[in-house]
Amino acid sequence: MRVVAVMNQKGGVGKTTTTCNLGAAFARRGLRVLLLDLDPQAHLSLHLNHDVNGGTPSIYEALVESLPIEQAIAPCSPERLSLVPAHIDLASAELELAGEIGRETILRNALADLAAHDRFDVVLIDCPPSLGLLSLNGLTAADEVVIPLQAEFFALHGISRLTDVMEKLRRRLKRGPQLLGIVLCRMQTTTRLAREVEEEARRHFGARVFKTTIRQNVRLAEASSHGQTVFDYDPASQGAKDYAALGDEIAALWGVAPGEVKAAAAVMARSARTKAAQSPPAVAAQEGARPPAHPGPAATN
Ligand SMILES: Nc1ncnc2c1ncn2[C@@H]1O[C@H](COP(=O)(O)OP(=O)(O)OP(=O)(O)O)[C@@H](O)[C@H]1O
Ligand SMILES: [Mg+2]
């Protein structure tokens, strides 16, 4: 089971849209996908038409009340897609957990229990727009991180802070989080500003910026307000094509062939076994134990 956090502490850059539709793209390829809403705004849950006031368990109960995360999973309409929803209560979780020992690793431990049951190939975590305790839990639980970037002024501002936090976590933890890649979202390909931001991002982060960019497409915004993934709402749209292409690009990095459920499951299981076998015991020796997800210059500033 691969755990991928979708994170940028900047608001409105496309984290939730990417979590939802990239997850749906993976599910269409045959992967068993769990989407985890770690944002008190609960936008991902709403995007998937989940009744956030329905009284069903959410990530809050899993983090604060130690409910096994499996009991907070709600099925979604698209096949092979499941959701751990959020609730506005989650806003108080940071305060409630402030005094807990090991508060940054609660989600990581909860997901380790889930991994043992082999129900999912990929978990995508939609992080809130801050570098608080919830996001730290998301990053600590993640093997890899996708950073959505909106092509606008100050787009790269704050990214070095995020990559620094990831670097520190890599030093302290046995595994991850590695940068899987940066995806340019809400791209207005016709504007000079968008092209300049894209050039700057590629100059700075090299091959860590995905080749696929997610163009500005109103269908993506409409799909969320209809409580659907873009593939259900308008499978022929530019937005659906872009997220399918991003799914293909990431699957190629992972070595997952299109539509091969069994092969995908085998790759995931093999990768988990290799990871377990390669985990060295001492923290110092664990630094850089996992190679970068794909080549490119180190994200240092
Ligand atoms: N490619 C796109 N084209 C058009 N609209 C988009 C696109 N991506 C996202 N949006 C819209 O932009 C808004 C912000 O997107 P989204 O909620 O995914 O960002 P976010 O980073 O999760 O925000 P927050 O930081 O508040 O959690 C939403 O209304 C969404 O529908
Ligand atoms: Mg969001």
Side-chain angles (χ1 to χ4, degrees):
M1 187 175 91
R2 277 176 193 267
V3 181
V4 179
V6 180
M7 174 59 191
N8 185 339
Q9 68 270 39
K10 201 164 160 38
V13 294
K15 294 182 288 294
T16 302
T17 307
T18 297
T19 308
C20 176
N21 293 304
L22 180 60
F26 287 150
R28 281 162 54 91
R29 299 178 63 92
L31 296 176
R32 300 165 302 164
V33 180
L34 177 64
L35 303 180
L36 199 153
D37 193 347
L38 199 53
D39 186 349
Q41 298 180 99
H43 285 169
L44 178 64
S45 310
L46 295 167
H47 195 144
L48 286 159
N49 207 21
H50 179 80
D51 178 6
V52 292
N53 295 313
T56 53
S58 68
I59 189 66
Y60 173 87
E61 283 81 1
L63 292 177
V64 178
E65 296 171 2
S66 306
L67 182 82
I69 208 160
E70 212 150 4
Q71 291 181 29
I73 295 174
C76 307
S77 47
E79 218 189 332
R80 287 192 283 267
L81 205 55
S82 302
L83 170 75
V84 174
H87 186 270
I88 185 69
D89 283 353
L90 190 57
S92 63
E94 301 214 341
L95 273 179
E96 288 175 63
L97 295 175
E100 292 276 326
I101 294 168
R103 56 192 171 272
E104 285 165 21
T105 53
I106 297 173
L107 183 60
R108 184 184 185 204
N109 294 336
L111 288 178
D113 291 344
L114 184 67
H117 298 155
D118 189 31
R119 267 186 73 182
F120 298 102
D121 300 311
V122 184
V123 179
L124 287 179
I125 304 174
D126 184 26
C127 294
S130 83
L131 261 171
L133 185 55
L134 288 170
S135 291
L136 275 182
N137 261 276
L139 292 173
T140 303
D143 303 303
E144 290 165 308
V145 178
V146 167
I147 305 179
L149 203 71
Q150 193 183 346
E152 57 173 9
F153 282 120
F154 306 123
L156 295 177
H157 188 82
I159 299 299
S160 59
R161 169 113 176 80
L162 174 54
T163 52
D164 284 351
V165 170
M166 287 165 57
E167 168 85 42
K168 267 192 195 137
L169 288 174
R170 275 198 299 278
R171 258 189 251 131
R172 287 185 199 156
L173 299 167
K174 285 184 184 173
R175 61 179 169 88
Q178 296 282 348
L179 179 61
L180 177 57
I182 294 171
V183 56
L184 285 148
C185 288
R186 308 184 66 179
M187 275 290 284
Q188 289 180 297
T189 42
T190 50
T191 68
R192 200 168 121 194
L193 173 64
R195 283 198 303 276
E196 282 173 5
V197 172
E198 180 174 5
E199 274 167 29
E200 195 187 340
R202 293 195 188 281
R203 203 170 35 245
H204 206 75
F205 292 99
R208 285 167 191 265
V209 180
F210 290 116
K211 289 189 191 79
T212 308
T213 60
I214 309 296
R215 290 164 288 183
Q216 181 82 20
N217 180 229
V218 72
R219 294 298 202 213
L220 287 164
E222 287 171 3
S224 68
S225 63
H226 282 79
Q228 291 181 319
T229 75
V230 73
F231 298 101
D232 288 334
Y233 181 71
D234 186 353
S237 64
Q238 214 174 62
K241 285 179 191 150
D242 288 348
Y243 276 108
L246 183 62
D248 289 346
E249 192 175 340
I250 294 176
L253 288 172
W254 285 344
V256 179
E260 289 183 32
V261 183
K262 281 187 183 157
V267 167
M268 300 295 170
R270 217 168 35 239
S271 131
R273 279 197 300 274
T274 313
K275 229 183 285 173
Q278 285 176 348
S279 284
V283 171
Q286 283 149 11
E287 258 184 77
R290 288 184 71 239
H294 55 117
T300 48
N301 51 33

